[in-house]
Amino acid sequence: MVERDQVRPLAPAADAPTSDDGEAALQLKKVRRKKLIRCCACIAALFIILAVVIIVLIFTVFRVKDPIIKLNAVSLTNLDLIINGSIPTTGANISLIADISVKNPNIASFKYRNTTTTLYYYGTEVGDARGPGGTAKARRTIQMNITVDIMTDRVLASPNLTADLTSGTLTMITYSRIGGRVNMLNIIKKHVTVMMNCTVTVNITSLAIQEQKCKHKVDL
């Protein structure tokens, strides 16, 4: 029995793992780990760049800019009733026509609702009008004429009318309001209200604007 145990063959040396194989496997793991880290770093950098680009676009190109409202001209119809210095009779129809433009500086359209214009004469409301809604295309300017029928009775009641007729000028205040919404790719939607308050002095003889001062305000 002792002799048989002594002559039993040993396992082949090739089946036992060597130190070289272990080092190769460890090196392969390191290479794979480095590739994975590089891949994750590239993906993270891509997301960071994309986020920066989106933020830059939001604060530059996609930033909602204030629509610009401007009073281009004002004219009075039937003003001949007072050009000769006579006080207009009650019931006489005098109208003010305001030429207003709205500039949309955004890359998206500005859709606005009905416009409102109110006319004041020395603090007293003497007329108002509503204009139809519409759409101002991207980076375009639209023009509209708004006719305000003046309440002659209220003008006649003002103690300043005689002095204005003597000076040859008529000073009134117009208040216009336009509300709407700017829609950018159905992603960025902003409600915008544009207001303009103008003090206009009209020369009664030439019917030209002698002086005009306007203040604008935008609510987002």
Side-chain angles (χ1 to χ4, degrees):
M1 293 293 295
V2 176
E3 292 179 355
R4 289 181 181 179
D5 291 338
Q6 290 178 351
V7 300
R8 181 177 296 173
L10 299 176
D15 294 341
T18 64
S19 60
D20 293 340
D21 292 338
E23 292 179 359
L26 183 60
Q27 189 67 23
L28 182 61
K29 288 182 179 180
K30 289 182 179 180
V31 172
R32 289 179 177 175
R33 186 179 299 172
K34 287 182 180 180
K35 289 183 178 179
L36 181 60
I37 293 174
R38 289 176 182 175
C39 183
C40 292
C42 290
I43 294 175
L46 182 62
F47 276 107
I48 292 174
I49 293 173
L50 184 61
V52 171
V53 170
I54 292 175
I55 293 174
V56 171
L57 289 176
I58 290 175
F59 285 97
T60 55
V61 179
F62 293 136
R63 182 176 66 88
V64 177
K65 301 176 183 178
D66 298 343
I68 302 171
I69 183 173
K70 182 180 179 182
L71 179 63
N72 302 310
V74 171
S75 60
L76 292 169
T77 62
N78 294 333
L79 195 59
D80 55 322
L81 296 173
I82 58 176
I83 287 179
N84 56 12
S86 61
I87 303 296
T89 58
T90 302
N93 186 17
I94 302 175
S95 298
L96 180 142
I97 301 175
D99 179 10
I100 298 175
S101 63
V102 179
K103 181 180 180 181
N104 178 21
N106 296 286
I107 63 171
S109 60
F110 171 56
K111 187 175 182 180
Y112 57 91
R113 300 182 294 274
N114 292 344
T115 61
T116 58
T117 299
T118 307
L119 184 66
Y120 296 91
Y121 184 63
Y122 288 97
T124 301
E125 181 179 337
V126 296
D128 62 352
R130 290 182 179 271
T135 301
K137 295 182 179 179
R139 296 176 178 174
R140 297 289 182 86
T141 301
I142 61 170
Q143 284 186 286
M144 61 185 78
N145 289 329
I146 299 177
T147 302
V148 182
D149 290 330
I150 299 176
M151 303 174 190
T152 311
D153 295 345
R154 297 185 182 183
V155 176
L156 289 171
S158 175
N160 300 287
L161 180 60
T162 303
D164 281 350
L165 293 177
T166 304
S167 66
T169 60
L170 199 63
T171 301
M172 292 186 175
I173 295 176
T174 63
Y175 174 76
S176 299
R177 179 186 177 96
I178 301 176
R181 185 178 68 174
V182 177
N183 186 354
M184 294 188 178
L185 304 176
N186 289 326
I187 299 176
I188 302 176
K189 299 179 181 180
K190 280 284 187 179
H191 290 276
V192 180
T193 301
V194 185
M195 292 160 285
M196 179 178 62
N197 196 341
C198 292
T199 301
V200 181
T201 301
V202 181
N203 187 294
I204 296 177
T205 303
S206 63
L207 302 181
I209 297 178
Q210 186 167 315
E211 186 179 3
Q212 174 182 325
K213 295 180 181 179
C214 293
K215 294 181 180 180
H216 305 83
K217 183 180 178 181
V218 178
D219 289 339
L220 296 176

